[in-house]
Amino acid sequence: MTIPRAAKTLRRTRIQEEKEEQILEAALDVFSASGFRGSTIDQIAEVAGMSKPNLLYYFRTKEAMHRALIDRVLYTWLEPLRAFDAEGNPETEIRSYIRRKLEMARDFPRESRLFANEVLQGAPHIEDELKGPLKELVDEKAEVIRAWAKSGKIVTCDPYHLIFSIWSTTQHYADFDVQVRAVLGQEHSGEGRFEDAARFLEQLFIGGLRPDPLEA
Amino acid sequence: MTIPRAAKTLRRTRIQEEKEEQILEAALDVFSASGFRGSTIDQIAEVAGMSKPNLLYYFRTKEAMHRALIDRVLYTWLEPLRAFDAEGNPETEIRSYIRRKLEMARDFPRESRLFANEVLQGAPHIEDELKGPLKELVDEKAEVIRAWAKSGKIVTCDPYHLIFSIWSTTQHYADFDVQVRAVLGQEHSGEGRFEDAARFLEQLFIGGLRPDPLEA
DNA sequence: GGATAATTTGACCGATTGGTAAACATTACA
DNA sequence: TGTAATGTTTACCAATCGGTCAAATTATCC
């Protein structure tokens, strides 16, 4: 009697690693484009270039695939915020945070859309991650920002809404890419638009956060 | 022999108007929560409180429902941008644009999510609207902003990315509501968060766009 | 009130959904 | 090289999908 579920084997074989990688890559394609409910196992199987039962041999359910994908992507996704350094200079820290987030929007748009789809549809699968690890990390960084404001390095402002505004403005270029391209027209839709966006956003945030000269 | 399709009758009856209203209301609920592909006619029928064939009597296909919803919502959705006035004072115009967009995010989050879902998933049903009416309106308002910059009323900046950043920061509070609530925690998730957001965003944009004193 | 048009429903259709069973093929390892 | 574990496929399942049909019901108007 064989135990046919890869998940139940203790040692991961070479084939397992390769195929799981292949599947998650395809799943990222599909989930990020259609959301969880709108995606089908057949689609993922086709993109992955394998049969549906074969795919289900590695991930027992559609949920399991989604789960694995979220887990893998979440850590990387929070990396830029984690790099936010309390000791650094506020201006350079904010500038490089914007840069990093914009680079992620440019280089990993599917990952951004995966989360966007999930959150947009009520975050039924990642509620715990949002209320747990994410909130804790944001709380911590919000304190850093508050300290900067208190010491007069930046203007007094709500640190949470500051973080939200950096998230939204940068991820916009991944999540709403079609709209951005449509509005900019073909001539400005090249990769240069990320440079333009970076320049504008740095200008906006550095200018908008400059400490009030009256208080100085 | 009756002509059983409401769409083919010339005069709209009272019942038709009521039921179509009822259906679109339900469709907005469902489409905004799951996107087009992830939504089912059965779900909409259940929310609308009528049988599926009855629903299909008023809208022949799922696409037709979606189409009608998009058409109805698009005009209203662009209203704030249309109100952007070239003659007005830049600071008050931008301030009130932010206010209006935030109010829409607060009062019509489903409409925002309907578009967000659509654009996020590649805008397969509204590509023409984006490249046509939307682009034209944005082009027009971008010129207004450029003129303000040229006359030194605001800092020189890319008007398109300015508009994108106002869209993204404001709509964030509708589209990513779950995340915002999760991060802010229960204590700050009341309606007051929109006031906080408005205060921060006005501060950010007014400060970030203040004309460079060196050029003055 | 009766004729006619408009509305509603239950039963149903083929296609697709997520997922399974079991036979078959391949790999790893002694 | 044999064999047991791992991997793959074909055929299939019940449930749900978008949508149709004809019959039944209700509203409208003379």
CSV table of all heavy atoms in Angstrom, one decimal, chain B residues 124-179:
chain,number,residue,atom,x,y,z
B,124,PRO,N,-10.8,43.8,-18.5
B,124,PRO,CA,-11.3,43.3,-19.8
B,124,PRO,C,-12.6,43.8,-20.3
B,124,PRO,O,-12.9,43.8,-21.5
B,124,PRO,CB,-11.5,41.8,-19.4
B,124,PRO,CG,-11.7,41.7,-18.0
B,124,PRO,CD,-10.9,42.9,-17.4
B,125,HIS,N,-13.4,44.4,-19.4
B,125,HIS,CA,-14.7,44.9,-19.8
B,125,HIS,C,-14.7,46.5,-19.9
B,125,HIS,O,-15.7,47.0,-20.4
B,125,HIS,CB,-15.8,44.5,-18.8
B,125,HIS,CG,-15.8,43.0,-18.6
B,125,HIS,ND1,-15.2,42.4,-17.5
B,125,HIS,CD2,-16.4,42.0,-19.2
B,125,HIS,CE1,-15.4,41.1,-17.5
B,125,HIS,NE2,-16.1,40.8,-18.6
B,126,ILE,N,-13.7,47.2,-19.5
B,126,ILE,CA,-13.8,48.6,-19.5
B,126,ILE,C,-12.6,49.3,-20.1
B,126,ILE,O,-12.3,50.4,-19.9
B,126,ILE,CB,-14.0,49.2,-18.1
B,126,ILE,CG1,-12.8,48.8,-17.2
B,126,ILE,CG2,-15.3,48.8,-17.5
B,126,ILE,CD1,-12.8,49.6,-15.9
B,127,GLU,N,-11.9,48.5,-20.9
B,127,GLU,CA,-10.7,49.0,-21.6
B,127,GLU,C,-11.0,50.2,-22.4
B,127,GLU,O,-10.2,51.2,-22.3
B,127,GLU,CB,-10.1,47.9,-22.5
B,127,GLU,CG,-8.6,47.8,-22.5
B,127,GLU,CD,-8.0,47.0,-23.7
B,127,GLU,OE1,-8.8,46.2,-24.2
B,127,GLU,OE2,-6.9,47.3,-24.1
B,128,ASP,N,-12.1,50.2,-23.1
B,128,ASP,CA,-12.4,51.3,-24.0
B,128,ASP,C,-12.7,52.6,-23.2
B,128,ASP,O,-12.2,53.7,-23.5
B,128,ASP,CB,-13.6,51.0,-24.8
B,128,ASP,CG,-13.4,49.9,-25.8
B,128,ASP,OD1,-12.2,49.6,-26.1
B,128,ASP,OD2,-14.3,49.3,-26.4
B,129,GLU,N,-13.4,52.4,-22.0
B,129,GLU,CA,-13.7,53.6,-21.2
B,129,GLU,C,-12.4,54.2,-20.6
B,129,GLU,O,-12.3,55.4,-20.5
B,129,GLU,CB,-14.6,53.2,-20.0
B,129,GLU,CG,-16.1,53.0,-20.4
B,129,GLU,CD,-16.4,51.7,-21.0
B,129,GLU,OE1,-15.5,50.9,-21.3
B,129,GLU,OE2,-17.6,51.4,-21.2
B,130,LEU,N,-11.4,53.3,-20.3
B,130,LEU,CA,-10.2,53.8,-19.8
B,130,LEU,C,-9.4,54.6,-20.8
B,130,LEU,O,-8.9,55.7,-20.5
B,130,LEU,CB,-9.3,52.7,-19.2
B,130,LEU,CG,-9.9,51.8,-18.1
B,130,LEU,CD1,-8.8,50.8,-17.6
B,130,LEU,CD2,-10.3,52.7,-16.9
B,131,LYS,N,-9.3,54.0,-22.0
B,131,LYS,CA,-8.5,54.7,-23.0
B,131,LYS,C,-9.2,55.9,-23.7
B,131,LYS,O,-8.6,56.7,-24.3
B,131,LYS,CB,-8.1,53.6,-24.1
B,131,LYS,CG,-7.2,52.6,-23.6
B,131,LYS,CD,-6.7,51.7,-24.7
B,131,LYS,CE,-5.7,50.7,-24.2
B,131,LYS,NZ,-5.3,49.6,-25.2
B,132,GLY,N,-10.5,55.9,-23.5
B,132,GLY,CA,-11.3,57.0,-24.1
B,132,GLY,C,-11.6,58.1,-23.1
B,132,GLY,O,-10.8,58.9,-22.8
B,133,PRO,N,-12.9,58.1,-22.6
B,133,PRO,CA,-13.3,59.1,-21.8
B,133,PRO,C,-12.4,59.4,-20.6
B,133,PRO,O,-12.1,60.6,-20.3
B,133,PRO,CB,-14.7,58.6,-21.3
B,133,PRO,CG,-15.1,57.6,-22.3
B,133,PRO,CD,-13.9,57.0,-22.8
B,134,LEU,N,-11.9,58.4,-19.9
B,134,LEU,CA,-11.1,58.6,-18.8
B,134,LEU,C,-9.8,59.3,-19.1
B,134,LEU,O,-9.5,60.4,-18.5
B,134,LEU,CB,-10.7,57.3,-18.1
B,134,LEU,CG,-9.8,57.4,-16.9
B,134,LEU,CD1,-10.4,58.2,-15.7
B,134,LEU,CD2,-9.3,56.1,-16.4
B,135,LYS,N,-9.1,58.8,-20.1
B,135,LYS,CA,-7.9,59.4,-20.5
B,135,LYS,C,-8.1,60.9,-21.0
B,135,LYS,O,-7.3,61.8,-20.6
B,135,LYS,CB,-7.2,58.6,-21.7
B,135,LYS,CG,-6.0,59.3,-22.2
B,135,LYS,CD,-5.2,58.4,-23.2
B,135,LYS,CE,-4.2,59.2,-24.0
B,135,LYS,NZ,-3.3,60.0,-23.2
B,136,GLU,N,-9.2,61.1,-21.7
B,136,GLU,CA,-9.4,62.5,-22.2
B,136,GLU,C,-9.6,63.5,-21.0
B,136,GLU,O,-9.1,64.6,-21.0
B,136,GLU,CB,-10.6,62.5,-23.1
B,136,GLU,CG,-10.3,62.0,-24.5
B,136,GLU,CD,-11.6,61.5,-25.2
B,136,GLU,OE1,-12.6,62.1,-25.0
B,136,GLU,OE2,-11.4,60.6,-26.0
B,137,LEU,N,-10.4,63.0,-20.0
B,137,LEU,CA,-10.6,63.8,-18.8
B,137,LEU,C,-9.4,64.1,-18.1
B,137,LEU,O,-9.1,65.2,-17.7
B,137,LEU,CB,-11.7,63.2,-17.9
B,137,LEU,CG,-12.1,63.9,-16.7
B,137,LEU,CD1,-12.7,65.3,-17.1
B,137,LEU,CD2,-13.1,63.1,-15.9
B,138,VAL,N,-8.6,63.1,-17.9
B,138,VAL,CA,-7.3,63.2,-17.2
B,138,VAL,C,-6.4,64.2,-17.9
B,138,VAL,O,-5.7,65.0,-17.4
B,138,VAL,CB,-6.6,61.9,-16.9
B,138,VAL,CG1,-5.3,62.1,-16.3
B,138,VAL,CG2,-7.5,61.0,-16.0
B,139,ASP,N,-6.3,64.0,-19.3
B,139,ASP,CA,-5.4,64.8,-20.1
B,139,ASP,C,-5.8,66.3,-19.9
B,139,ASP,O,-4.9,67.2,-19.7
B,139,ASP,CB,-5.6,64.5,-21.6
B,139,ASP,CG,-4.8,63.2,-21.9
B,139,ASP,OD1,-3.9,62.8,-21.2
B,139,ASP,OD2,-5.1,62.6,-23.0
B,140,GLU,N,-7.1,66.5,-19.9
B,140,GLU,CA,-7.6,67.9,-19.7
B,140,GLU,C,-7.2,68.5,-18.4
B,140,GLU,O,-6.7,69.6,-18.3
B,140,GLU,CB,-9.1,67.9,-19.9
B,140,GLU,CG,-9.8,69.2,-19.7
B,140,GLU,CD,-11.3,69.1,-19.5
B,140,GLU,OE1,-11.9,68.1,-20.1
B,140,GLU,OE2,-11.9,69.8,-18.7
B,141,LYS,N,-7.4,67.7,-17.3
B,141,LYS,CA,-7.1,68.2,-16.0
B,141,LYS,C,-5.6,68.3,-15.8
B,141,LYS,O,-5.1,69.2,-15.0
B,141,LYS,CB,-7.7,67.3,-14.9
B,141,LYS,CG,-9.2,67.3,-15.0
B,141,LYS,CD,-9.9,68.7,-15.0
B,141,LYS,CE,-11.4,68.6,-15.1
B,141,LYS,NZ,-12.0,69.9,-15.0
B,142,ALA,N,-4.8,67.4,-16.4
B,142,ALA,CA,-3.4,67.5,-16.3
B,142,ALA,C,-2.9,68.8,-16.8
B,142,ALA,O,-1.9,69.4,-16.3
B,142,ALA,CB,-2.7,66.3,-17.1
B,143,GLU,N,-3.5,69.3,-17.9
B,143,GLU,CA,-3.1,70.6,-18.5
B,143,GLU,C,-3.3,71.7,-17.5
B,143,GLU,O,-2.5,72.6,-17.4
B,143,GLU,CB,-3.9,70.8,-19.8
B,143,GLU,CG,-3.2,70.3,-21.0
B,143,GLU,CD,-1.7,70.5,-21.0
B,143,GLU,OE1,-1.3,71.7,-20.9
B,143,GLU,OE2,-0.9,69.6,-21.1
B,144,VAL,N,-4.5,71.6,-16.8
B,144,VAL,CA,-4.8,72.6,-15.7
B,144,VAL,C,-3.6,72.7,-14.7
B,144,VAL,O,-3.1,73.7,-14.3
B,144,VAL,CB,-6.1,72.3,-15.0
B,144,VAL,CG1,-6.3,73.2,-13.8
B,144,VAL,CG2,-7.3,72.4,-16.0
B,145,ILE,N,-3.3,71.5,-14.2
B,145,ILE,CA,-2.2,71.4,-13.2
B,145,ILE,C,-0.9,71.9,-13.7
B,145,ILE,O,-0.2,72.7,-13.1
B,145,ILE,CB,-2.1,69.9,-12.7
B,145,ILE,CG1,-3.4,69.5,-12.0
B,145,ILE,CG2,-0.9,69.8,-11.8
B,145,ILE,CD1,-3.4,68.0,-11.7
B,146,ARG,N,-0.6,71.6,-15.0
B,146,ARG,CA,0.6,72.1,-15.6
B,146,ARG,C,0.7,73.6,-15.6
B,146,ARG,O,1.7,74.2,-15.4
B,146,ARG,CB,0.8,71.5,-17.0
B,146,ARG,CG,2.2,71.0,-17.3
B,146,ARG,CD,2.4,70.7,-18.7
B,146,ARG,NE,1.7,69.5,-19.2
B,146,ARG,CZ,2.2,68.3,-19.1
B,146,ARG,NH1,3.4,68.0,-18.6
B,146,ARG,NH2,1.5,67.2,-19.6
B,147,ALA,N,-0.5,74.2,-16.0
B,147,ALA,CA,-0.6,75.6,-16.0
B,147,ALA,C,-0.3,76.2,-14.6
B,147,ALA,O,0.4,77.2,-14.5
B,147,ALA,CB,-1.9,76.0,-16.6
B,148,TRP,N,-0.9,75.6,-13.6
B,148,TRP,CA,-0.7,76.1,-12.2
B,148,TRP,C,0.8,76.1,-11.9
B,148,TRP,O,1.3,77.0,-11.3
B,148,TRP,CB,-1.4,75.2,-11.3
B,148,TRP,CG,-2.9,75.4,-11.2
B,148,TRP,CD1,-3.6,76.5,-11.7
B,148,TRP,CD2,-3.9,74.5,-10.6
B,148,TRP,NE1,-4.9,76.3,-11.5
B,148,TRP,CE2,-5.1,75.1,-10.8
B,148,TRP,CE3,-3.8,73.3,-9.9
B,148,TRP,CZ2,-6.3,74.6,-10.4
B,148,TRP,CZ3,-5.0,72.8,-9.5
B,148,TRP,CH2,-6.2,73.4,-9.7
B,149,ALA,N,1.5,75.0,-12.3
B,149,ALA,CA,2.9,74.9,-12.0
B,149,ALA,C,3.7,76.0,-12.8
B,149,ALA,O,4.6,76.6,-12.2
B,149,ALA,CB,3.4,73.5,-12.4
B,150,LYS,N,3.3,76.1,-14.0
B,150,LYS,CA,4.0,77.1,-14.9
B,150,LYS,C,3.9,78.5,-14.3
B,150,LYS,O,4.9,79.3,-14.3
B,150,LYS,CB,3.5,77.1,-16.3
B,150,LYS,CG,4.5,77.6,-17.3
B,150,LYS,CD,4.2,77.0,-18.7
B,150,LYS,CE,5.4,76.3,-19.3
B,150,LYS,NZ,5.1,75.4,-20.4
B,151,SER,N,2.7,78.8,-13.8
B,151,SER,CA,2.6,80.2,-13.2
B,151,SER,C,3.0,80.3,-11.8
B,151,SER,O,2.8,81.3,-11.1
B,151,SER,CB,1.1,80.6,-13.3
B,151,SER,OG,0.3,79.7,-12.5
B,152,GLY,N,3.7,79.2,-11.3
B,152,GLY,CA,4.3,79.3,-10.0
B,152,GLY,C,3.3,79.1,-8.8
B,152,GLY,O,3.7,79.3,-7.6
B,153,LYS,N,2.1,78.7,-9.1
B,153,LYS,CA,1.1,78.5,-8.0
B,153,LYS,C,1.4,77.2,-7.2
B,153,LYS,O,1.0,77.1,-6.0
B,153,LYS,CB,-0.3,78.5,-8.6
B,153,LYS,CG,-0.7,79.9,-9.1
B,153,LYS,CD,-2.1,79.8,-9.7
B,153,LYS,CE,-2.6,81.1,-10.3
B,153,LYS,NZ,-3.7,80.9,-11.2
B,154,ILE,N,1.9,76.3,-7.9
B,154,ILE,CA,2.3,75.0,-7.2
B,154,ILE,C,3.7,74.7,-7.7
B,154,ILE,O,4.2,75.2,-8.7
B,154,ILE,CB,1.4,73.8,-7.4
B,154,ILE,CG1,1.3,73.4,-8.9
B,154,ILE,CG2,0.0,74.2,-6.9
B,154,ILE,CD1,0.6,72.1,-9.1
B,155,VAL,N,4.3,73.7,-7.1
B,155,VAL,CA,5.7,73.3,-7.5
B,155,VAL,C,5.6,72.6,-8.8
B,155,VAL,O,4.5,72.0,-9.2
B,155,VAL,CB,6.3,72.4,-6.4
B,155,VAL,CG1,5.6,71.0,-6.5
B,155,VAL,CG2,7.8,72.2,-6.6
B,156,THR,N,6.6,72.6,-9.6
B,156,THR,CA,6.7,71.9,-10.9
B,156,THR,C,6.7,70.4,-10.6
B,156,THR,O,7.6,69.9,-9.9
B,156,THR,CB,7.9,72.3,-11.7
B,156,THR,OG1,7.9,73.7,-11.8
B,156,THR,CG2,7.9,71.6,-13.0
B,157,CYS,N,5.7,69.7,-11.2
B,157,CYS,CA,5.7,68.3,-11.0
B,157,CYS,C,4.9,67.6,-12.1
B,157,CYS,O,4.2,68.3,-12.9
B,157,CYS,CB,5.0,68.0,-9.6
B,157,CYS,SG,3.2,68.3,-9.6
B,158,ASP,N,5.0,66.3,-12.1
B,158,ASP,CA,4.3,65.5,-13.2
B,158,ASP,C,2.8,65.5,-12.8
B,158,ASP,O,2.4,64.8,-11.8
B,158,ASP,CB,4.9,64.1,-13.3
B,158,ASP,CG,4.3,63.3,-14.4
B,158,ASP,OD1,3.0,63.3,-14.6
B,158,ASP,OD2,5.0,62.8,-15.2
B,159,PRO,N,1.9,66.1,-13.6
B,159,PRO,CA,0.5,66.1,-13.2
B,159,PRO,C,-0.2,64.8,-13.2
B,159,PRO,O,-1.1,64.5,-12.5
B,159,PRO,CB,-0.1,67.1,-14.3
B,159,PRO,CG,0.8,67.0,-15.5
B,159,PRO,CD,2.2,66.8,-14.9
B,160,TYR,N,0.2,63.9,-14.1
B,160,TYR,CA,-0.4,62.6,-14.2
B,160,TYR,C,-0.1,61.8,-12.9
B,160,TYR,O,-1.0,61.2,-12.3
B,160,TYR,CB,0.1,61.8,-15.4
B,160,TYR,CG,-0.4,62.4,-16.7
B,160,TYR,CD1,0.4,63.3,-17.4
B,160,TYR,CD2,-1.6,62.0,-17.2
B,160,TYR,CE1,-0.1,63.9,-18.6
B,160,TYR,CE2,-2.1,62.6,-18.4
B,160,TYR,CZ,-1.4,63.5,-19.1
B,160,TYR,OH,-1.9,64.0,-20.2
B,161,HIS,N,1.1,61.8,-12.5
B,161,HIS,CA,1.4,61.0,-11.3
B,161,HIS,C,0.8,61.7,-10.0
B,161,HIS,O,0.5,61.0,-9.1
B,161,HIS,CB,3.0,60.9,-11.1
B,161,HIS,CG,3.6,60.0,-12.2
B,161,HIS,ND1,3.4,58.6,-12.2
B,161,HIS,CD2,4.2,60.3,-13.4
B,161,HIS,CE1,4.0,58.1,-13.2
B,161,HIS,NE2,4.5,59.1,-14.0
B,162,LEU,N,0.6,63.0,-10.1
B,162,LEU,CA,-0.1,63.7,-9.0
B,162,LEU,C,-1.5,63.1,-8.9
B,162,LEU,O,-2.0,62.8,-7.9
B,162,LEU,CB,-0.1,65.2,-9.2
B,162,LEU,CG,-1.0,66.0,-8.3
B,162,LEU,CD1,-0.7,65.7,-6.8
B,162,LEU,CD2,-1.0,67.5,-8.6
B,163,ILE,N,-2.2,63.1,-10.1
B,163,ILE,CA,-3.6,62.5,-10.1
B,163,ILE,C,-3.6,61.1,-9.6
B,163,ILE,O,-4.4,60.7,-8.8
B,163,ILE,CB,-4.2,62.7,-11.5
B,163,ILE,CG1,-4.4,64.2,-11.8
B,163,ILE,CG2,-5.5,61.9,-11.6
B,163,ILE,CD1,-4.8,64.5,-13.2
B,164,PHE,N,-2.7,60.3,-10.1
B,164,PHE,CA,-2.6,58.9,-9.7
B,164,PHE,C,-2.5,58.8,-8.2
B,164,PHE,O,-3.1,57.9,-7.6
B,164,PHE,CB,-1.4,58.2,-10.3
B,164,PHE,CG,-1.5,58.0,-11.8
B,164,PHE,CD1,-0.4,57.8,-12.6
B,164,PHE,CD2,-2.8,57.9,-12.4
B,164,PHE,CE1,-0.5,57.6,-14.0
B,164,PHE,CE2,-2.9,57.7,-13.8
B,164,PHE,CZ,-1.7,57.6,-14.6
B,165,SER,N,-1.6,59.6,-7.6
B,165,SER,CA,-1.4,59.5,-6.2
B,165,SER,C,-2.6,59.9,-5.4
B,165,SER,O,-2.8,59.4,-4.3
B,165,SER,CB,-0.1,60.3,-5.8
B,165,SER,OG,-0.4,61.7,-6.0
B,166,ILE,N,-3.4,60.9,-5.9
B,166,ILE,CA,-4.6,61.2,-5.2
B,166,ILE,C,-5.6,60.1,-5.3
B,166,ILE,O,-6.3,59.7,-4.3
B,166,ILE,CB,-5.2,62.6,-5.7
B,166,ILE,CG1,-4.2,63.7,-5.4
B,166,ILE,CG2,-6.5,62.8,-5.1
B,166,ILE,CD1,-4.7,65.1,-5.9
B,167,TRP,N,-5.7,59.5,-6.5
B,167,TRP,CA,-6.6,58.4,-6.7
B,167,TRP,C,-6.3,57.3,-5.7
B,167,TRP,O,-7.1,56.7,-5.0
B,167,TRP,CB,-6.5,57.8,-8.1
B,167,TRP,CG,-7.2,58.6,-9.1
B,167,TRP,CD1,-8.0,59.7,-9.0
B,167,TRP,CD2,-7.1,58.4,-10.5
B,167,TRP,NE1,-8.4,60.1,-10.2
B,167,TRP,CE2,-7.9,59.4,-11.2
B,167,TRP,CE3,-6.4,57.5,-11.3
B,167,TRP,CZ2,-8.1,59.4,-12.5
B,167,TRP,CZ3,-6.6,57.5,-12.7
B,167,TRP,CH2,-7.4,58.5,-13.3
B,168,SER,N,-5.0,56.9,-5.7
B,168,SER,CA,-4.6,55.7,-5.0
B,168,SER,C,-4.7,55.9,-3.5
B,168,SER,O,-5.2,55.0,-2.8
B,168,SER,CB,-3.2,55.3,-5.3
B,168,SER,OG,-2.3,56.3,-5.1
B,169,THR,N,-4.3,57.1,-3.0
B,169,THR,CA,-4.4,57.3,-1.5
B,169,THR,C,-5.8,57.3,-1.0
B,169,THR,O,-6.1,56.8,0.1
B,169,THR,CB,-3.7,58.6,-1.1
B,169,THR,OG1,-4.1,59.6,-1.9
B,169,THR,CG2,-2.1,58.5,-1.3
B,170,THR,N,-6.7,57.9,-1.8
B,170,THR,CA,-8.1,58.0,-1.3
B,170,THR,C,-8.8,56.7,-1.4
B,170,THR,O,-9.5,56.2,-0.5
B,170,THR,CB,-8.8,59.1,-2.0
B,170,THR,OG1,-8.7,58.9,-3.4
B,170,THR,CG2,-8.2,60.5,-1.7
B,171,GLN,N,-8.7,56.1,-2.6
B,171,GLN,CA,-9.4,54.9,-2.9
B,171,GLN,C,-8.9,53.7,-2.0
B,171,GLN,O,-9.7,52.7,-1.7
B,171,GLN,CB,-9.4,54.5,-4.3
B,171,GLN,CG,-10.1,55.5,-5.2
B,171,GLN,CD,-10.1,55.2,-6.7
B,171,GLN,OE1,-9.5,54.1,-7.1
B,171,GLN,NE2,-10.6,56.1,-7.5
B,172,HIS,N,-7.7,53.9,-1.5
B,172,HIS,CA,-7.1,52.9,-0.6
B,172,HIS,C,-8.1,52.6,0.5
B,172,HIS,O,-8.2,51.4,1.0
B,172,HIS,CB,-5.8,53.4,-0.1
B,172,HIS,CG,-5.0,52.4,0.7
B,172,HIS,ND1,-4.3,51.4,0.2
B,172,HIS,CD2,-4.9,52.3,2.0
B,172,HIS,CE1,-3.7,50.7,1.1
B,172,HIS,NE2,-4.1,51.2,2.3
B,173,TYR,N,-8.8,53.6,1.0
B,173,TYR,CA,-9.6,53.4,2.2
B,173,TYR,C,-10.9,52.7,1.9
B,173,TYR,O,-11.5,52.2,2.8
B,173,TYR,CB,-9.9,54.8,2.9
B,173,TYR,CG,-8.6,55.4,3.5
B,173,TYR,CD1,-7.8,56.3,2.7
B,173,TYR,CD2,-8.2,55.0,4.7
B,173,TYR,CE1,-6.7,56.8,3.3
B,173,TYR,CE2,-7.0,55.5,5.2
B,173,TYR,CZ,-6.2,56.4,4.5
B,173,TYR,OH,-5.1,56.9,5.0
B,174,ALA,N,-11.2,52.6,0.6
B,174,ALA,CA,-12.4,51.7,0.3
B,174,ALA,C,-11.8,50.3,-0.1
B,174,ALA,O,-12.3,49.3,0.4
B,174,ALA,CB,-13.1,52.3,-0.9
B,175,ASP,N,-10.9,50.3,-1.0
B,175,ASP,CA,-10.4,49.1,-1.6
B,175,ASP,C,-9.7,48.2,-0.6
B,175,ASP,O,-9.8,46.9,-0.6
B,175,ASP,CB,-9.5,49.3,-2.8
B,175,ASP,CG,-10.2,50.2,-3.9
B,175,ASP,OD1,-11.4,50.3,-3.8
B,175,ASP,OD2,-9.5,50.7,-4.7
B,176,PHE,N,-8.9,48.8,0.3
B,176,PHE,CA,-8.1,48.0,1.2
B,176,PHE,C,-8.7,48.2,2.6
B,176,PHE,O,-7.9,48.1,3.6
B,176,PHE,CB,-6.7,48.4,1.2
B,176,PHE,CG,-6.0,48.0,-0.1
B,176,PHE,CD1,-6.2,48.7,-1.3
B,176,PHE,CD2,-5.2,46.9,-0.2
B,176,PHE,CE1,-5.6,48.3,-2.5
B,176,PHE,CE2,-4.6,46.5,-1.4
B,176,PHE,CZ,-4.8,47.2,-2.6
B,177,ASP,N,-9.9,48.4,2.7
B,177,ASP,CA,-10.6,48.7,4.0
B,177,ASP,C,-10.2,47.6,5.1
B,177,ASP,O,-9.9,48.0,6.2
B,177,ASP,CB,-12.1,48.7,3.8
B,177,ASP,CG,-12.8,49.0,5.1
B,177,ASP,OD1,-12.6,50.1,5.7
B,177,ASP,OD2,-13.6,48.2,5.6
B,178,VAL,N,-10.3,46.4,4.7
B,178,VAL,CA,-10.0,45.3,5.7
B,178,VAL,C,-8.6,45.5,6.3
B,178,VAL,O,-8.4,45.3,7.5
B,178,VAL,CB,-10.1,43.9,5.0
B,178,VAL,CG1,-10.4,42.9,6.1
B,178,VAL,CG2,-11.1,43.9,3.9
B,179,GLN,N,-7.7,45.8,5.4
B,179,GLN,CA,-6.3,45.9,5.8
B,179,GLN,C,-6.1,47.1,6.7
B,179,GLN,O,-5.5,47.1,7.8
B,179,GLN,CB,-5.4,46.0,4.6
B,179,GLN,CG,-3.9,45.8,4.9
B,179,GLN,CD,-3.0,46.1,3.7
B,179,GLN,OE1,-3.0,47.2,3.2
B,179,GLN,NE2,-2.4,45.0,3.3
